[in-house]
Amino acid sequence: MGSKSAQKAARAAGRRQERSKAIRSQVKTDIAKAEKLIAEGNMDTAKQAVAKAVSALDKAAEKKVLPGNNSSRRKSRLLKKLNIAGTQPKVKATPEKAA
């Protein structure tokens, strides 16, 4: 069974794990939404979604749910995608006529 302190530590670890799991899941959801909007080319909404995702990553790193460098790397990659998508000209795909 273990000592009382070990039992208490196990309960505390379980509670921490549940909180961390929820935070990590929300971070992944926010990043996925932002990437989807970037891919669609909806830049105004994408900028808001990226800001929300960056905020979620910062909070997760602050609460030690994610390592700081992991959070920074993910923010960097997300912002790089946003900046690349923002500079590319919008080209509509037109079907080619068969000869």
Side-chain angles (χ1 to χ4, degrees):
M1 202 74 189
S3 65
K4 282 190 175 185
S5 61
Q7 291 171 4
K8 183 177 178 180
R11 288 193 307 270
R15 289 191 296 267
R16 249 191 332 271
Q17 185 180 19
E18 284 183 27
R19 275 195 299 269
S20 295
K21 190 173 185 180
I23 293 169
R24 208 174 300 115
S25 176
Q26 186 61 49
V27 166
K28 287 188 215 176
T29 301
D30 290 341
I31 291 173
K33 285 180 183 177
E35 287 178 343
K36 182 180 177 199
L37 288 168
I38 291 169
E40 290 173 357
N42 192 347
M43 298 313 291
D44 293 333
T45 313
K47 286 180 184 177
Q48 293 172 352
V50 167
K52 185 177 178 186
V54 167
S55 175
L57 282 163
D58 285 336
K59 286 178 186 175
E62 185 178 322
K63 295 176 183 180
K64 306 292 186 202
V65 173
L66 292 174
N69 287 350
N70 181 306
S71 172
S72 296
R73 182 182 66 245
R74 290 164 87 167
K75 285 189 295 187
S76 176
R77 288 177 180 172
L78 187 60
L79 289 169
K80 185 191 261 188
K81 288 178 186 176
L82 179 69
N83 290 334
I84 289 171
T87 59
Q88 291 178 345
K90 295 179 183 177
V91 178
K92 292 185 179 180
T94 54
E96 294 181 25
K97 294 182 181 179

